[in-house]
């Protein structure tokens, strides 16, 4: 198994008032393997999900729909 790790970090910014956030995704290319998603909120508290391929597909579809809705509201 070869794992791939992707990490997104947003630092705190005084201008926007946003707190730091970190999102980490760990996966391997095996079609039936789960994908780990870890999220650390502004308090540093971890939240985790292990998603089966079908669950990951559903999550991606929901995030895409949410992002698309935001894009269309600003036009």
């Amino acid at each position: 198994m070869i794992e791939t790790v992707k990490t997104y970090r947003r630092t705190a910014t005084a201008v926007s008032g946003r707190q730091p956030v970190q999102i980490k995704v760990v996966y391997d290319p095996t079609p039936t393997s789960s994908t780990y998603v870890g999220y650390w909120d502004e308090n540093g508290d971890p939240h985790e999900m292990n998603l089966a391929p079908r669950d990951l597909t559903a999550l991606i579809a929901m995030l895409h729909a949410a992002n698309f809705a935001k894009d269309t509201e600003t036009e």
Side-chain angles (χ1 to χ4, degrees):
M1 174 173 85
I2 300 172
E3 286 189 345
T4 301
V5 178
K6 301 286 184 182
T7 303
Y8 165 81
R9 288 184 183 92
R10 182 184 73 217
T11 57
T13 56
V15 176
S16 69
R18 292 187 173 183
Q19 300 297 319
V21 168
Q22 178 175 316
I23 300 169
K24 180 178 180 180
V25 176
V26 180
Y27 60 92
D28 73 63
T30 308
T32 58
S33 67
S34 293
T35 298
Y36 166 84
V37 179
Y39 167 75
W40 290 261
D41 63 21
E42 61 273 2
N43 297 320
D45 296 328
H47 306 276
E48 302 176 347
M49 293 186 288
N50 279 307
L51 301 171
R54 184 180 240 169
D55 302 333
L56 180 62
T57 300
L59 177 60
I60 291 169
M62 289 185 289
L63 293 172
H64 177 73
N67 191 48
F68 181 77
K70 290 174 190 242
D71 286 345
T72 58
E73 286 182 16
T74 58
E75 294 178 3

